[in-house]
Amino acid sequence: MKRIISLALCFLILLFAVGCSAAEDEKSDDNLIVVGFSQLGSESDWRAANTQSISLALSEENGYKLLFDNAKQNQENQLMAIRNFILQGVDIIVLAPAAETGWDNVLLEAKAAGIPVIIVDREVSVEDENLYMGRIGSDFLKEGEIAVSWLGNKLVSLGRGTEQINILHVKGTDGSTAQIMRTRALEEGVAGRSNWTIAAQLSGEFTEAKGYEVVRDYLKTNTDIDVIYSENDNMTFGAMRALDEAGLTYGENGEIIIISFDAVREALGYCLEGKINLCVECNPLHGALLDQLIKQYYAGESIPKYTYVEEAYFTRDNLSLEFIENRLY
Ligand code: AHR
């Protein structure tokens, strides 16, 4: 009998302990800011760094419960994820949009539900800018203009300022701000110079596989290229493989000048080796800024509509192994 009583007692104590810890969990969960983050995909090294930066900043220790959704490059998946976040009643929605357009309705729904939205990375083009609270990201047009102006100076320094220059343009995902603005900068640069021509515009969708495929196919019929303007590093890696296979040389000691965007660690390594001539930085570290904006919002402070991340550009001349090794992405 004694044994039965002590067993029952143990059981009661256990029940009580489980109950307490569940109540504590509930209590601590209640204090967390619930953020639904719709990430557009995982197409590049840049994207992985962006996801990591946001996940680290919006951690439980820092006061957040992060609901993460990877849309796998599909805007429809993003619309579905946002609607799910609304149904779940999250406190804030963070959206890294695949394309600029197509967001009005879903953002209206979030607004009607009283859920503020912060845009990260690319922009959204909506009729009413009040549909989102703020945007953190790059100035993509400036990135493109840096590349174009660097190319102009580089050609002059090589004594090729007036030569006919054929540029192979490898574009990122059509309709994304990164693609639209980097393309605009190049097209404006070419329009302003009578000796520059865009030989072809290929769509590499910001992935290494597609970058390789389109450049490889292009090189089967045309190898008269002076410059490759590749809108991200992963497509550049693919293009480099295609050039190697076609027996074409590139970089500081080669026939083709390579310009790449993002400046992830691997690309900077190639830049230091002289295989990529210019790496224009696109900074994916949005996490700390996002945390700051959300905390400002909860403190009742006003939020800037646009927060631009700091960015630089790199050539072999301003890089070192130490810098690359210490880089976060
Ligand atoms: O929107 C930022 C761009 O998207 C980066 O340049 C690219 O690597 C990413 O996929």
Side-chain angles (χ1 to χ4, degrees), residues 100 141 173-185 231:
E100 284 196 354
L141 182 63
T173 309
D174 285 315
S176 67
T177 317
Q179 178 274 315
I180 294 170
M181 293 303 176
R182 290 170 187 164
T183 295
R184 180 181 297 173
E231 289 181 357

Side-chain angles (χ1 to χ4, degrees), residues 38 77-86 93 95 103 106:
S38 168
N77 289 342
Q78 293 206 277
L79 297 176
M80 225 151 50
I82 294 171
R83 292 196 166 109
N84 274 332
F85 293 148
I86 296 172
I93 290 173
L95 166 64
W103 302 105
V106 82

Side-chain angles (χ1 to χ4, degrees), residues 208-209 211-213 215 233-243:
E208 184 163 344
Y212 164 71
E213 189 186 305
V215 175
D233 286 340
N234 289 83
M235 296 191 299
T236 305
F237 303 151
M240 286 161 64
R241 181 146 67 94
L243 291 170

Side-chain angles (χ1 to χ4, degrees), residues 104 108 111 126-132:
D104 292 77
L108 259 172
K111 196 174 177 81
V126 280
E127 281 204 4
D128 176 4
E129 288 225 324
N130 293 317
L131 290 178
Y132 61 93

Side-chain angles (χ1 to χ4, degrees), residues 7-19:
L7 270 175
L9 256 176
C10 282
F11 184 64
L12 281 175
I13 291 169
L14 196 70
L15 266 185
F16 180 72
V18 168

Side-chain angles (χ1 to χ4, degrees), residues 43-44 46-47 121-122 140 178 182 206 231-232 262 282:
E43 72 285 3
S44 61
W46 186 99
R47 188 65 52 199
D121 179 21
R122 304 167 184 177
F140 295 109
R182 290 170 187 164
F206 285 130
E231 289 181 357
N232 92 339
D262 285 356
C282 181

